[in-house]
Structures are given as structure tokens and as C-alpha cells.
Amino acid sequence: MNVIWARSAAILIGLLVLSAGIYLAFGPVPALALACAALFSLLCYYLYQINRLWKVLDAPVYGEIPSALGLWGEVYYRLHRLVKRWRTQVLQVEQQHTRFIQAIQASPNGVLMLDDADQIEWCNDVAEQHFGLNARRDVRQRITHLIRRPEFVHYLTRQRFDEPLVMRDMGEHKHSVIAVQILPYGDNRKLVITQDITKLENTEAMRRDFVANVSHELKTPLTVLTGFLETVRDLPVSEEDRRRYIDLMLVQSVRMQSIVEDLLALARLESDEQAPGNDIVPVQAMVAHLRHDAEALSQGRHQVSAEIDTTVGLRGAETELLSALGNLVSNAVRYTPDGGRITMRLGWEDGHAVFSVADTGLGIAPEHIPRLTERFYRVDRSRSRDTGGTGLGLAIVKHVLSRHHADLRVTSEVGRGSVFRVIFPLERSVRSAGGDGTIAAVPPTGVSTSPQAPDSSRRAA
Ligand code: ADP
């Protein structure tokens, strides 16, 4: 027997016993009157409690559960327990739901849920950005009313979703490429997943351009080489012509070799994920060395000078830095007409070690400057080729400097010259204790000691 039956039985038995006592003491009428009065009071009390219960059950949200004595206390206690358990469950479901939404919001992909009539039920922020939607405003709208692009409508209605759809000119600025994949689920509902593949597409385009550029760069010397070889093989040529042809073929082979060496250097730099070492680089000796190389390349056609602050020291990878700074110096010589000046400087700027090379050469028009470090980008194609350039020198410089967290700044004026400045980060700039802060001018050597021939002045990292 449960507690309700037990309590009800106790009340009735109590009333019966009391009425029987009254009956024995005062006769049947008082006993009946007492029983009637007690039952009537009980009825009124029950009606009052039923009314309270009704109000509790009828409220839109369960608030405080009332308390009462006796039987009704038991009822309210059980109701209170039920509501509490129910509230905990609702809270848990709500938390799960919030976590689920947060997880979808954290996804780099767009997620959009469609009902069986292709109306938007919900979408995350990324999907809003990709499609230019507004989740609050557009919910319950048919998606094809909002995304009207024919390819999307066709993809949705064709009902074949094995391949994603690639949509261009998407996103806020219409510059993004988005892959859209629809996944049907449940009873005719759909999940739309979007992914921004702009970078992937750009990388793929860069790869295609790169392969085309490399093929083009190698094709020209190869064609020349083949032409001379055929001539030497098929035609009777004088000894003098044969020598001349062989010299020209050698120039083309050296050019191909330089391209391949620079490509390998770039590939090495790209694949090396390890940060360059933290060793102290003998940068002053390096600059002095670069000056000698510049003179060798110039062969007396330019005035080459170097100013070195003897307190400047650097941390990094010596071979990589020599290659990067060497490329800047060799460019200065190659793009400066005879009689020009090349000045290298190693000094301090706001606590940063700075290497710069200034020339009084051809100069570069402003529109070319941001693109100089692109592979195979050349402003003056014929001069680059005639001086043994591969179009990869500044790309190598950019890679080496970005590995050292250093900045390359270029200022230039057409016809007046250029300044290429390398600004090293504070953590790689070292104030050497040995130096006394004097600016040493490296004396000219006159005769080159560089082992490198002028045409192969580039240094692969
Ligand atoms: P390249 O092997 O052709 O010199 P780089 O990557 O070293 O290739 O340089 C890219 C282009 O930048 C060059 O082709 C040239 O047009 C331009 N350039 C680089 N340095 C200078 C400079 N000091 N003065 C003028 N133009 C320069």
C-alpha cells in the first residue's frame, strides 16, 4: 500500500473512531453531525488544494511548487521531485545543444540545414559569410529564393550530390571560391557543407604557372642549344665558327644550370621547416666578402663601397644569409649601367640590424616593386637574361629573409637607382662587444679574389 492510501485510510479510521466515541457518549445525532462536519471540511480542503494544483499545472513555466500538510504535502513533494528531475534533463539537453552549436560554429566550414521543402532551418556564421545570408532574417526561407545562382539551383534540384559544386566570386568581397557539398539526411532533409577553397585554387594556379614558367625558361636555351648542335652536325662549319658555336652553347648550358640551381635552392628552402640556427654570423666579414664579389662582377665598371658599423652582429644561418645578401648585391651591379655607384651599408635602425645596398642604376617603377619577389618576375627581361639572371634571385631572398623573420624594403626611382634594405628582427640583431661603433669603410681591393665568374654571380642558398 502506498503512502496516499495509508494516509487516507488513517484519516478515515480516525474519523470513524472519533464518531464512534461521540456516538457512545452523546448518541447518534452529535456523532453524525461531527462526521458530516469533518467530511465537509475535508472536502473543502481538498477542493482548495486541487485548485492550487490546477494553477501549478496550468502555469506556462513551472515555478515554485507549493507546500502543504499531510496527504497534499506528499502530492506536492512528488510533483516537486518530478519537476526537478525534468528541469535537470532539460538543462542537460540545452547544454548539449549549446555545445553542439558551438562546435559547428567553431568549424572552418559552413553548415546549413534545410528542411524537406528546402527551407533554411539553421546555418552557422561561416555559411552566412559564404552565401551572404542572415541567419535570423532568412530562416524558414526557401534557399533557392536567396541563392539564385543557376549552377546552385541546378545542383540542388538535380539531386545528385556525389561531387561538390565549385562556386566562384562568392563571400563578402566576391573574391572567394567555395566548394559546396549537399548531404541528404533524415526524412528528405539536407545538410549543406561549404568550404573556402580560394587558397587551394590559388596554389593550384600558382603550381600551373610555375610549371609553365619553368618549361618556358628552359625551352629557350634548349632550342638554341639544339639548333647549334644540329648545325654543327649537319653543315660543314669552319673551325672558327665551331668554336663560336660551342661558346654560345656553353652560355646556354650555364643559363640552364643556373635556373636548375636556383630552383633547387628554392625547393630546399621551402621544404626546410626548421628555423635557421641561432649561431652568430660573421656578418662584417660577410659584407666585406660581398664587396669583393661585387667588384669581381663589376670588373671595374662601377664604384663599389661598403660602410660597416663594427658593433653590428647577427644570428642566423650563414650560408642562407650570404646567398640572400649576395643576390641583392649582384642585382645592384647587374642593373646599374657602367660608371654607376654601388654602396653597401651595415648599421643600426631603432635597435634593428640593417643591411642595405644602394645603386645608381636603372631603378624600378612603383607598380613592379610589390611583384619583384615572385618567381620569374622580371622588369627588364633582356637585361636580366644578358647578365645571367634567372628571375629567381629575389624569390630566394624573400624565402631566406622570411625564415629569419627579416623584412625586405625596396625604394626606387626610375633612372636614379634603388635601395634594397634588409631589416633584421630584434632577436637576431646582436650588438657585438668587440666593436667600438666606428663606421669602417672596407678598402677597395682592385683585383677580385672571388672564385665566381661574372655570369654566374648568383648564389643558391
Ligand atoms: P633576375 O635574375 O632577373 O635578376 P631577381 O629575382 O633577382 O631576378 O630580380 C627580379 C627583377 O627585379 C629583375 O629581373 C630586375 O628587373 C628587377 N631588379 C632587381 N634588382 C634590381 C635593381 N637593383 N635595380 C633594378 N632592377 C632590379
Side-chain angles (χ1 to χ4, degrees), residues 174-288:
K174 303 275 174 235
H175 290 325
S176 307
V177 184
I178 307 289
V180 181
Q181 175 74 65
I182 295 183
L183 305 166
Y185 75 100
D187 35 358
N188 215 11
R189 282 157 194 277
K190 294 180 189 85
L191 194 66
V192 183
I193 308 285
T194 61
Q195 189 191 2
D196 190 334
I197 54 165
T198 317
K199 268 194 192 154
L200 213 71
E201 286 268 308
N202 288 347
T203 313
E204 184 54 24
M206 265 168 61
R207 195 190 61 78
R208 277 196 304 267
D209 285 355
F210 180 64
V211 171
N213 276 332
V214 171
S215 316
H216 178 77
E217 291 292 333
L218 291 176
K219 202 176 143 206
T220 317
L222 263 177
T223 311
V224 177
L225 208 65
T226 316
F228 282 132
L229 282 172
E230 280 172 357
T231 310
V232 174
R233 187 195 61 187
D234 299 339
L235 297 175
V237 286
S238 64
E239 183 58 21
E240 190 189 336
D241 280 348
R242 201 181 62 87
R243 277 190 162 281
R244 198 163 53 85
Y245 291 163
I246 288 178
D247 281 350
L248 289 169
M249 285 193 279
L250 198 63
V251 169
Q252 299 304 327
S253 311
V254 168
R255 194 168 145 207
M256 286 194 289
Q257 199 178 5
S258 306
I259 294 174
V260 172
E261 271 171 12
D262 278 0
L263 283 172
L264 287 174
L266 265 176
R268 257 197 311 273
L269 286 170
E270 274 174 351
S271 61
D272 189 356
E273 282 169 6
Q274 264 190 341
N278 243 350
D279 300 340
I280 296 281
V281 176
V283 64
Q284 298 171 19
M286 193 190 274
V287 176

Side-chain angles (χ1 to χ4, degrees), residues 283 287 305-309 312 325 329 341-349 353-359 419-422 424 439-440:
V283 64
V287 176
S305 62
E307 293 168 13
I308 300 172
D309 183 328
V312 178
L325 307 188
V329 173
R341 258 192 338 274
I342 318 288
T343 314
M344 288 167 240
R345 281 196 186 89
L346 182 67
W348 294 106
E349 273 179 36
V354 175
F355 171 80
S356 70
V357 50
D359 64 57
V419 184
F420 284 71
R421 274 161 70 232
V422 180
F424 290 93
I439 309 291

